[in-house]
Coordinates of all heavy atoms in Angstrom, one line a residue:
M33 N 16.2 61.1 -50.0 CA 17.0 61.7 -51.0 C 18.4 61.1 -51.2 O 18.9 61.1 -52.3 CB 17.2 63.2 -50.8 CG 15.9 64.0 -51.1 SD 15.2 63.7 -52.8 CE 16.6 64.2 -53.8
E34 N 18.9 60.5 -50.2 CA 20.2 59.8 -50.3 C 20.0 58.5 -51.2 O 20.9 58.3 -52.1 CB 20.8 59.4 -49.0 CG 21.2 60.6 -48.1 CD 22.2 61.5 -48.9 OE1 23.1 61.0 -49.6 OE2 21.9 62.7 -48.9
K35 N 18.9 57.8 -51.1 CA 18.7 56.7 -51.9 C 18.4 57.1 -53.4 O 18.9 56.5 -54.3 CB 17.4 55.9 -51.5 CG 17.7 55.1 -50.2 CD 16.4 54.4 -49.8 CE 16.5 53.6 -48.5 NZ 15.3 53.0 -48.1
I36 N 17.7 58.2 -53.5 CA 17.4 58.7 -54.9 C 18.7 59.2 -55.5 O 19.0 58.9 -56.7 CB 16.4 59.9 -54.8 CG1 15.0 59.3 -54.4 CG2 16.3 60.6 -56.1 CD1 14.0 60.3 -54.0
R37 N 19.5 59.9 -54.7 CA 20.8 60.4 -55.3 C 21.7 59.2 -55.7 O 22.2 59.2 -56.8 CB 21.5 61.2 -54.2 CG 22.9 61.8 -54.7 CD 23.6 62.5 -53.6 NE 22.8 63.6 -53.0 CZ 22.8 64.8 -53.4 NH1 23.5 65.2 -54.5 NH2 22.1 65.8 -52.8
A38 N 21.7 58.1 -54.9 CA 22.5 57.0 -55.2 C 22.0 56.2 -56.4 O 22.8 55.8 -57.2 CB 22.6 56.0 -54.0
H39 N 20.7 56.0 -56.5 CA 20.2 55.2 -57.6 C 19.9 56.0 -58.9 O 19.9 55.4 -60.0 CB 18.9 54.5 -57.1 CG 19.1 53.5 -56.0 ND1 19.8 52.3 -56.2 CD2 18.8 53.5 -54.7 CE1 19.9 51.7 -55.1 NE2 19.3 52.4 -54.2
M40 N 19.6 57.3 -58.7 CA 19.1 58.0 -59.9 C 20.0 59.1 -60.4 O 19.9 59.5 -61.5 CB 17.7 58.6 -59.6 CG 16.7 57.5 -59.3 SD 16.5 56.2 -60.5 CE 16.0 57.1 -61.9
V41 N 20.8 59.6 -59.5 CA 21.5 60.8 -59.9 C 23.0 60.6 -60.0 O 23.7 61.1 -60.9 CB 21.2 62.0 -58.9 CG1 22.0 63.2 -59.3 CG2 19.7 62.2 -58.8
S42 N 23.6 59.8 -59.1 CA 25.1 59.7 -59.0 C 25.7 59.2 -60.3 O 26.9 59.5 -60.6 CB 25.4 58.7 -57.9 OG 25.0 57.4 -58.2
H43 N 25.0 58.4 -61.1 CA 25.6 57.9 -62.3 C 25.3 58.7 -63.6 O 25.7 58.4 -64.7 CB 25.2 56.4 -62.6 CG 23.7 56.3 -62.8 ND1 22.8 56.3 -61.7 CD2 22.9 56.2 -63.9 CE1 21.6 56.2 -62.2 NE2 21.6 56.1 -63.5
C44 N 24.7 59.9 -63.4 CA 24.4 60.8 -64.5 C 25.8 61.4 -65.0 O 26.7 61.6 -64.3 CB 23.6 62.0 -64.1 SG 21.9 61.5 -63.7
D45 N 25.8 61.5 -66.3 CA 27.0 62.0 -67.0 C 27.2 63.5 -66.9 O 28.2 64.0 -67.4 CB 27.1 61.5 -68.5 CG 27.2 60.0 -68.6 OD1 27.7 59.4 -67.7 OD2 26.8 59.5 -69.7
E46 N 26.2 64.2 -66.3 CA 26.2 65.6 -66.3 C 27.2 66.1 -65.2 O 27.6 65.3 -64.3 CB 24.8 66.1 -65.9 CG 23.7 65.6 -66.8 CD 23.8 65.9 -68.3 OE1 24.4 67.0 -68.6 OE2 23.4 65.2 -69.1
G47 N 27.5 67.4 -65.3 CA 28.4 67.9 -64.3 C 27.7 68.0 -62.9 O 26.5 67.8 -62.8
A48 N 28.5 68.4 -61.9 CA 28.0 68.5 -60.5 C 26.8 69.5 -60.4 O 25.9 69.2 -59.7 CB 29.1 68.9 -59.6
E49 N 26.9 70.6 -61.1 CA 25.8 71.6 -61.0 C 24.5 71.0 -61.5 O 23.5 71.2 -60.9 CB 26.2 72.8 -61.8 CG 25.2 74.0 -61.7 CD 25.7 75.2 -62.4 OE1 26.8 75.6 -62.3 OE2 24.8 75.8 -63.1
V50 N 24.6 70.3 -62.6 CA 23.4 69.7 -63.2 C 22.9 68.6 -62.3 O 21.6 68.5 -62.1 CB 23.6 69.2 -64.7 CG1 22.4 68.5 -65.2 CG2 24.0 70.4 -65.6
R51 N 23.8 67.8 -61.8 CA 23.3 66.8 -60.8 C 22.6 67.4 -59.6 O 21.6 66.8 -59.2 CB 24.5 65.9 -60.4 CG 24.9 64.9 -61.5 CD 25.8 63.8 -60.9 NE 27.0 64.3 -60.3 CZ 28.2 64.6 -60.9 NH1 28.3 64.4 -62.2 NH2 29.2 65.0 -60.3

Side-chain angles (χ1 to χ4, degrees):
M33 284 309 299
E34 291 309 312
K35 289 180 184 176
I36 292 169
R37 184 182 302 272
H39 294 291
M40 301 305 299
V41 182
S42 64
H43 62 281
C44 288
D45 293 336
E46 309 297 331
E49 183 179 315
V50 173
R51 282 195 304 274

